[in-house]
Amino acid sequence: MPDYSWPPEDKRTLIGKRITRVDSPLKVSGQAQYTYDVHRPGMLYGKILRCPYAAAKIVSIDTSAAEKMPGVKAVHVIQGPNTTIHWSGDEVVAVAAVDEATAEDAIRAIKVEYRKLPHLVSDAEPPKGAAEEQGPLSVDDIDDMLDNQVPSQQMVKQIQDYGMTEKADERGLRMLKSDGASDAVLDAVRAATVHTDVAAKPHSNYQKAAAVTVGDPDKAFSEAEVVSEGLYGTPVITHCCLESHGSTSEWTDDQHLFVHMSTQNVSGIAGQMAEKIKLPATNIRLHQDHIGGGFGSKFGPDRWGIATAEISKKAGGKPVRIMLERDAELKVAGARPSAYARVKVGAKKDGTLVAWQSDSWGTGGPGGGGSPPIPYVINIPNQRKQHTGIRNNIGPARAWRAPNHPQAAVITMCALDDLAAKLNLDPLEFFLKNIELARPRHEIYREEFGIASDLMGWKQKWHPRGQGGSGNTARGMGLSMHTWGGRGHSSHCDLTIHPDGSVELKMGTQDLGTGTRTCILIVAADTLGIPMNAINLQIGDTMYPPDGGSGGSTTIGGVSSSTRRAAVDARDGLFAKVAPALGAQPDQLECANGTVRVKGDSSKSLSWKEACSKLGAVPLTVRGNNPDPSKPPDLTNSGVGGVQMAEVEVDTDTGIVKVKKMVAVQDCGLVIDLKTAESQCLGALIMGISYALFEEKVMDPTTGRMLNADMQFYRLAGLSDIPELVVHMMTGKGYDERGVIGLGEPPVISPGAAISNAVANAIGVRVPFLPLTPDRVLSALQQKAGA
Amino acid sequence: MRDDDPIHDDVPEKTEERSGVSRRGFLKIAGVSVAVPLVARPEMVWAAGEQVPVHGPGKVPMEFTINGKKYKANLEPRVTLLDALRDQFDLTGAKRVCDRAECGACTVLMDNKTVYACSLLAIEAQGKQITTVESLMQGEKLHPVQQAFVENDASQCGFCTPGFVIACKAMIDKHPNPSPEDIRHGLAGNLCRCGTYDGIKKAIAQVGQKGA
């Protein structure tokens, strides 16, 4: 059995080193092609008419004037009369025309009559008595969820938790399938417990999940010596991918569709389009070279992606492009659910944590949103938790980098920081005192806190809460910790060595800008002993072996493992062919520095090209897979720990918060490329500063519309908002041998909590909700002064 | 270029004296022109206290100098420089992101000054030297700013990168040894979502030391 395991540190030539991203030259020169840059011959421009109301019933649609306009090639109704609209900006009609301006003119010529319905866009604390227990679901409820783009995983959980009011018959299941239900959802419906005795009742906007109790919280609170109570939360924010969602579809003949799509899920889109456009997935080809950001929001074809295919068909198969305008991108193409909580937490005088109680709520739009995993990381022995999901008309939620974790970190780490302040303890000492509650990674966190403290100068800089300086400038320090899974997803890698020495590697994965291309090449080149630029890597197409979607930090573990297995098999296949020429056994050979040679005998050596010529006429081709229990060991793993510290300066006259320094110490098992790994952490810190200080999807309660659907008022952090950033990756013994683990999510979890804690430390009072805008800071200061 | 109808005689006059009319300003003027027939020679009307030519609303022939090369196209006056670059001339380095002069992904140079191509009408860019990110490489060799971006990993998804590269080049050309204030000011008009600012800062520091 070949040895697939990762090479030990002294044998690695590329893995774990600081390697420059291979596609950077294309990106800095404007040559990298994104979906938005694809301009197919004869391409038509699609535009979408969107519903202005947050809740409405479509009464009638008149497209006749648009259809008659010169230059308009097709008009397609996406949601017809009698459809209920659940958020403002939802898609109603799509138009394709010879240019964008004509398509816009056509959209304006369409008349839609709506009947407005009452809406709710608030995610404020549920009024007392408003929340109702979620009952069993009807088939109509499931259909509603599909209509509202509730993520499949969330639907499955709800079906499992609450059961169904009726046994779904074949007709019902077929209907759900044709409305886009995934197999997992259909399986859950089939397996659901049926509660025929409970009639489905009209749903409240407020759905209470079952309360969770761990240990004996009442007893623990009565015995606690210090109890801290507080209010914490994070609002709905958007993904704001710079390349908006969209695609170009064209029918190459009446049975074949060619799609360019901005997607995190190259191999998974065809299957999601097939049912809707009544075409086998095998007949749908999808291609993407580069993607301008996804962050969790680009896993499906979306209604507008399906619309490009349908409208292209109506236009005789001509390519039709629909890329969302910025306002639509911010309104409908995904948002991170909000989460707020009233928390009570108790400890002994020495800081030992004993009890947690939380009443939390939040919204993910029509789906109600997920419930954050609180208390986060620190598993307090006695807990009582109650969560209420708010179903409202704010627009659909999508996975946003580390779903539910940043919210959980804010609620937990801020509550614990307030408790530490009440105990007059340095939060670093307080967290270390309770670090055993962070099992099983407590030793990792302990080590990381030590390193972070040194890099930040925590001991020199930290001061008790509120002693942040005199005058109008207050300095403060805060910290947070986080975890994530990140096991590698399903991945398949085809590697071919040609007799002329050229090497080709094909995978249906995608590079989100995380460095996936670079890392695949590092693994293959390190294994084959040839330079990275000697390998022709092709990704981003359904013509290549399928790979998982890039979500949940699963890509690096998947692609590195399948590539390693393929490269080892290809290398050993080559050794078998070359061994006779070198007068040695295959297992005596090694690949290094562009040669194939006998281990320990440098006189017996062939150049890579000479060695490959021994393959004969037929190229050597192999397939590497992940997972692959037949080819041990497991090369990927799950579970990482990371800690972060923030130093801020607050202007107490204006309420403006400036982050002065941040430190991230992060573990992710074996690092493939140290350079792009550090960039992931640096980027996460910056994205974290952005959501901590600026980002919020602001809704107008009267009209139900988003008020800041542009990049002037939906603010992202700019270059001048970014301070000194220090990243330390945990590598070497204790880390490398765990295998490759994902890194995209973990470092973006802690910044909000660390910065909020630093602000509390600076000004002596908690600003309850992110973003920490000047008005919120001033209002907290005012309350403190009045208290 | 796709729409390469030959330019006929009545190419619109160059209008340097009104350079930099914003899209909003143009729309105000354009409101006057609704009834103008599809003729080539622009009608002169009084607007905002001066005589201005009114083009369109149909397509009018236009001519551009982009990266030192001549480009011609028949475009509606409402077409932005960004859309002309991307959709007519296949110069897709400049990106459309906010489409409202907020994010800088569409940054190009007009007569060596940074402009937001999304908020400038193509018709106003005639007679100017337009420079896009595509022109910075000399053969296979990256411009020093581009090279510094590569070495300091200053791009992730890369969608904001061309705009940043152009903005950095313009800033470095003006301030070869930029102060923190020069950097803050020179790059205040560009936004990134992946969080590459740290690499960009290091890239600028590197070019500032080595020289561009």
Side-chain angles (χ1 to χ4, degrees):
Chain A
M1 167 76 72
D3 183 10
Y4 297 99
S5 59
W6 295 112
E9 197 172 350
D10 60 333
K11 297 276 186 205
R12 297 179 210 145
T13 57
L14 296 165
I15 292 170
K17 310 277 190 245
R18 204 176 290 274
I19 307 293
T20 295
R21 189 184 294 264
V22 295
D23 43 8
S24 281
L26 289 178
K27 288 177 174 173
V28 299
S29 59
Q31 296 174 77
Q33 197 180 48
Y34 298 80
T35 300
Y36 214 145
D37 301 332
V38 171
H39 196 136
R40 305 289 297 166
M43 186 180 85
L44 302 174
Y45 294 77
K47 287 279 164 190
I48 292 175
L49 174 68
R50 298 179 177 281
C51 175
Y53 304 115
K57 197 122 185 160
I58 299 175
V59 177
S60 66
I61 301 176
D62 179 2
T63 60
S64 53
E67 281 167 46
K68 286 182 204 127
M69 287 174 68
V72 172
K73 299 296 180 188
V75 177
H76 174 72
V77 174
I78 298 176
Q79 298 195 83
N82 289 323
T83 314
T84 306
I85 300 289
H86 295 274
W87 59 83
S88 103
D90 202 3
E91 297 80 25
V92 182
V93 184
V95 164
V98 290
D99 58 36
E100 217 173 332
T102 306
E104 270 164 18
D105 291 345
I107 285 297
R108 279 192 283 270
I110 296 170
K111 293 191 188 72
V112 182
E113 192 188 334
Y114 300 97
R115 184 160 57 80
K116 279 169 69 177
L117 300 170
H119 64 253
L120 175 75
V121 291
S122 163
D123 60 357
E125 186 165 15
K128 287 251 176 303
E132 66 177 25
E133 299 286 342
Q134 169 80 60
L137 305 159
S138 66
V139 173
D140 283 345
D141 290 334
I142 309 284
D143 215 33
D144 250 9
M145 285 197 258
L146 292 170
D147 225 24
N148 292 326
Q149 302 177 9
V150 176
S152 169
Q153 220 179 327
Q154 209 172 308
M155 291 178 62
V156 169
K157 176 138 182 20
Q158 290 203 22
I159 296 163
Q160 286 168 347
D161 285 357
Y162 304 118
M164 302 281 296
T165 54
E166 59 199 312
K167 182 116 190 101
D169 56 11
E170 276 312 308
R171 211 178 122 259
L173 288 166
R174 264 204 309 280
M175 179 187 85
L176 291 177
K177 191 169 166 66
S178 72
D179 288 346
S182 69
D183 289 342
V185 167
L186 296 174
D187 286 346
V189 170
R190 282 189 198 100
T193 320
V194 178
H195 307 270
T196 42
D197 50 324
V198 187
K201 46 185 171 180
H203 291 308
S204 156
N205 289 106
Y206 302 97
Q207 300 287 330
K208 205 188 270 187
V212 177
T213 304
V214 178
D216 189 342
D218 292 330
K219 183 163 172 285
F221 273 115
S222 71
E223 288 168 11
E225 290 163 318
V226 178
V227 172
S228 166
E229 291 187 57
L231 176 62
Y232 313 94
T234 62
V236 172
I237 66 172
T238 76
H239 295 70
C240 198
C241 307
L242 293 200
E243 181 185 33
S244 59
H245 287 61
S247 56
T248 298
S249 291
E250 62 194 274
W251 293 79
T252 50
D253 60 43
D254 63 357
Q255 280 303 311
H256 291 87
L257 185 72
F258 184 25
V259 182
H260 290 83
M261 185 175 287
S262 183
T263 179
Q264 300 174 237
N265 194 7
V266 165
S267 301
I269 294 296
Q272 296 181 65
M273 293 184 83
E275 190 80 32
K276 300 219 163 118
I277 57 170
K278 316 251 180 300
L279 192 67
T282 49
N283 295 14
I284 301 172
R285 181 178 165 207
L286 186 130
H287 183 88
Q288 171 185 258
D289 283 341
H290 295 275
I291 170 174
F295 314 110
S297 67
K298 292 181 178 169
F299 288 106
D302 292 315
R303 274 188 194 135
W304 49 89
I306 302 293
T308 58
E310 286 173 333
I311 203 163
S312 166
K313 189 160 212 175
K314 287 188 176 174
K318 280 196 168 189
V320 174
R321 173 208 277 175
I322 294 179
M323 299 300 294
L324 297 192
E325 298 78 22
R326 181 56 36 186
D327 61 336
E329 178 73 17
L330 292 171
K331 284 176 191 162
V332 306
R336 182 175 88 175
S338 59
Y340 309 89
R342 290 191 183 277
V343 179
K344 189 165 109 176
V345 58
K348 300 280 182 198
K349 267 190 189 132
D350 66 357
T352 307
L353 278 164
V354 294
W356 168 278
Q357 181 182 304
S358 57
D359 273 295
S360 55
W361 68 94
T363 186
S371 150
I374 48 177
Y376 186 57
V377 182
I378 303 283
N379 190 16
I380 299 168
N382 303 286
Q383 307 172 11
R384 177 180 292 114
K385 300 180 286 190
Q386 173 81 66
H387 183 80
T388 302
I390 304 176
R391 291 181 178 178
N392 67 14
N393 307 93
I394 195 167
R398 296 182 181 204
W400 192 104
R401 219 171 162 184
N404 291 325
H405 283 229
Q407 298 95 317
V410 165
I411 292 168
T412 307
M413 302 304 160
C414 294
L416 295 183
D417 184 75
D418 282 354
L419 177 61
K422 202 164 181 183
L423 286 158
N424 288 318
L425 286 175
D426 176 343
L428 180 58
E429 282 170 34
F430 169 79
F431 274 86
L432 287 172
K433 171 143 197 87
N434 289 289
I435 206 74
E436 300 254 336
L437 296 177
R439 284 178 179 280
R441 273 176 285 283
H442 53 296
E443 289 307 331
I444 289 177
Y445 289 119
R446 194 194 303 276
E447 193 182 355
E448 288 178 337
F449 270 129
I451 294 168
S453 170
D454 290 346
L455 291 171
M456 176 53 98
W458 179 276
K459 290 203 169 72
Q460 298 80 47
K461 289 178 181 170
W462 184 81
H463 55 74
R465 180 174 283 195
Q467 298 177 20
S470 53
N472 60 357
T473 305
R475 283 206 169 222
M477 310 282 293
L479 57 78
S480 173
M481 56 201 289
H482 55 260
T483 186
W484 190 254
R487 166 170 287 284
H489 60 208
S490 162
S491 176
H492 306 281
C493 168
D494 276 359
L495 198 158
T496 302
I497 303 177
H498 291 271
D500 70 346
S502 58
V503 179
E504 179 168 58
L505 202 154
K506 292 178 176 170
M507 302 173 87
T509 184
Q510 50 278 319
D511 188 339
L512 270 50
T514 46
T516 303
R517 280 186 175 88
T518 312
C519 291
I520 293 168
L521 287 172
I522 287 172
V523 171
D526 193 308
T527 308
L528 297 174
I530 55 176
M532 287 161 66
N533 62 12
I535 300 169
N536 175 8
L537 170 65
Q538 306 210 39
I539 64 170
D541 201 301
T542 44
M543 314 260 277
Y544 310 139
D547 221 273
S550 287
S553 301
T554 57
T555 304
I556 186 64
V559 300
S560 63
S561 299
S562 65
T563 302
R564 173 71 179 169
R565 290 195 178 97
V568 166
D569 281 345
R571 182 192 67 192
D572 288 1
L574 181 65
F575 287 167
K577 297 278 192 179
V578 171
L582 287 170
Q585 292 302 310
D587 62 0
Q588 293 176 303
L589 302 185
E590 64 178 0
C591 285
N593 297 325
T595 65
V596 176
R597 65 193 185 195
V598 178
K599 285 179 206 166
D601 183 353
S602 58
S603 68
K604 290 186 175 173
S605 167
L606 291 174
S607 74
W608 176 261
K609 208 173 161 65
E610 287 166 344
C612 294
S613 71
K614 310 292 178 203
L615 288 171
V618 182
L620 171 72
T621 190
V622 296
R623 162 79 52 103
N625 302 313
N626 185 64
D628 190 349
S630 74
K631 293 180 178 174
D634 188 359
L635 298 172
T636 176
N637 208 329
S638 180
V640 302
V643 307
Q644 292 183 6
M645 291 179 173
E647 180 184 13
V648 301
E649 196 175 271
V650 184
D651 183 323
T652 50
D653 285 344
T654 64
I656 291 172
V657 176
K658 286 291 286 182
V659 181
K660 303 306 287 183
K661 180 176 178 176
M662 283 197 82
V663 172
V665 180
Q666 185 63 51
D667 133 59
C668 66
L670 175 67
V671 172
I672 299 292
D673 177 12
L674 197 51
K675 193 169 186 170
T676 49
E678 286 171 352
S679 289
Q680 275 297 292
C681 295
L682 290 165
L685 289 175
I686 290 167
M687 217 165 174
I689 291 171
S690 192
Y691 76 69
L693 300 186
F694 307 121
E695 292 181 48
E696 178 168 9
K697 184 176 186 180
V698 181
M699 303 300 293
D700 178 4
T702 308
T703 62
R705 295 176 200 172
M706 183 177 177
L707 288 171
N708 57 341
D710 57 53
M711 290 179 73
Q712 184 174 5
F713 295 105
Y714 190 89
R715 250 201 90 184
L716 300 181
L719 187 123
S720 61
D721 298 310
I722 304 311
E724 179 192 1
L725 303 175
V726 182
V727 169
H728 179 90
M729 299 301 300
M730 303 300 288
T731 56
K733 199 167 156 24
Y735 297 94
D736 293 2
E737 61 269 23
R738 289 162 57 209
V740 178
I741 315 176
L743 181 63
E745 337 281 308
V748 89
I749 296 167
S750 273
I755 293 168
S756 176
N757 286 342
V759 169
N761 179 247
I763 65 173
V765 61
R766 173 68 53 185
V767 182
F769 301 147
L770 301 187
L772 305 164
T773 49
D775 60 319
R776 288 193 172 125
V777 171
L778 290 178
S779 142
L781 280 167
Q782 215 163 28
Q783 282 191 2
K784 179 187 152 200
Chain B
M1 91 184 232
R2 294 192 178 77
D3 200 355
D4 50 359
D5 291 358
I7 295 277
H8 28 105
D9 291 334
D10 32 35
V11 173
E13 292 165 60
K14 288 186 181 151
T15 50
E16 272 115 355
E17 69 279 7
R18 293 197 298 109
S19 65
V21 170
S22 69
R23 177 151 70 176
R24 189 170 298 165
F26 178 79
L27 292 175
K28 241 191 274 173
I29 299 164
V32 182
S33 70
V34 179
V36 175
L38 299 172
V39 291
R41 193 172 294 282
E43 189 189 334
M44 303 301 286
V45 298
W46 281 96
E50 57 178 320
Q51 277 249 311
V52 292
V54 174
H55 305 281
K59 289 185 179 182
V60 294
M62 298 187 204
E63 194 173 343
F64 306 95
T65 309
I66 306 165
N67 302 331
K69 284 199 294 201
K70 295 280 179 209
Y71 288 82
K72 293 174 183 178
N74 287 333
L75 301 172
E76 289 183 29
R78 61 179 168 177
V79 171
T80 63
L81 174 60
L82 179 66
D83 291 351
L85 290 172
R86 293 177 53 81
D87 292 336
Q88 300 296 322
F89 307 134
D90 212 17
L91 292 165
T92 54
K95 306 295 185 214
R96 190 203 261 185
V97 173
C98 70
D99 213 20
R100 292 291 183 279
E102 291 152 359
C103 77
C106 63
T107 306
V108 300
L109 300 181
M110 186 160 81
D111 290 344
N112 280 323
K113 278 186 72 176
T114 48
V115 292
Y116 289 131
C118 76
S119 296
L120 191 83
L121 291 169
I123 199 167
E124 291 295 326
Q126 297 184 100
K128 314 280 187 188
Q129 296 289 333
I130 304 297
T131 307
T132 72
V133 70
E134 283 88 351
S135 71
L136 296 193
M137 278 176 84
Q138 302 286 324
E140 291 295 293
K141 196 170 149 49
L142 294 171
H143 183 278
V145 167
Q146 293 174 316
Q147 186 61 34
F149 265 62
V150 171
E151 287 170 20
N152 293 282
D153 208 27
S155 58
Q156 286 191 29
C157 86
F159 213 67
C160 72
T161 306
F164 263 107
V165 166
I166 287 284
C168 282
K169 181 206 177 297
M171 192 267 296
I172 293 269
D173 285 349
K174 205 168 165 194
H175 309 284
N177 288 298
S179 67
E181 180 54 27
D182 295 333
I183 296 170
R184 197 192 64 75
H185 187 253
L187 298 178
N190 293 69
L191 291 170
C192 166
R193 185 45 154 167
C194 301
T196 57
Y197 300 125
D198 195 71
I200 294 170
K201 281 192 202 174
K202 287 171 184 156
I204 293 168
Q206 181 178 318
V207 181
Q209 261 172 17
K210 280 191 190 168

